Amino acid sequence: MPPYIYPVIETAEIETTFLELAEQWRRETGMLSVIAKISMHPAYQRIIGMGQPVVPLILRELEREPDHWFWALSAITGANPVQPEQRGRLQQMAEAWIKWGRANGYRW
């Protein structure tokens, strides 16, 4: 028997949890402008902790409405497809991540 056993979370449960946390994060950080504070919010950190299964959900959110998901995507995937000239341009950064997601086989 392995030393650690982790519970298996169903896909529907992952999506439900993600959506609840994302809504909480938006609601509680909507008036903040400091990216570090936005990214350190407990709900955002829990989303990062959910790992790879939430990447397509984040990409879907970015496609629907660009928001500050870039820190989470970088933390989970180790990637950063945003070019220096795109930094600070929310729409361009979102497009770079969406393109990266499709190129790396993510579907949402």
Side-chain angles (χ1 to χ4, degrees):
M1 187 149 183
Y4 302 103
I5 298 174
Y6 300 99
V8 176
I9 300 173
E10 297 294 324
T11 304
E13 187 178 340
I14 290 170
E15 184 169 4
T16 300
T17 301
F18 169 79
L19 292 172
E20 289 169 357
L21 290 169
E23 176 57 32
Q24 178 187 358
W25 171 66
R26 283 189 192 97
R27 185 176 59 249
E28 295 177 8
T29 63
M31 302 309 277
L32 296 177
S33 61
V34 178
I35 299 302
K37 286 185 178 185
I38 292 169
S39 302
M40 294 309 295
H41 186 276
Y44 193 89
Q45 291 299 306
R46 284 189 56 206
I47 289 169
I48 291 172
M50 293 172 76
Q52 287 288 338
V54 297
V55 171
L57 301 173
I58 294 172
L59 293 170
R60 181 181 69 194
E61 288 294 305
L62 270 182
E63 190 171 60
R64 186 181 66 78
E65 181 181 349
D67 207 340
H68 294 283
W69 289 111
F70 316 115
W71 185 315
L73 286 167
S74 289
I76 295 167
T77 67
N80 184 6
V82 176
Q83 298 300 309
E85 64 273 8
Q86 296 172 315
R87 290 185 192 138
R89 296 184 168 97
L90 201 62
Q91 185 65 42
Q92 289 181 21
M93 293 170 69
E95 289 169 5
W97 272 104
I98 290 164
K99 182 178 176 183
W100 175 91
R102 289 193 175 116
N104 284 277
Y106 288 97
R107 301 290 173 253
W108 56 92

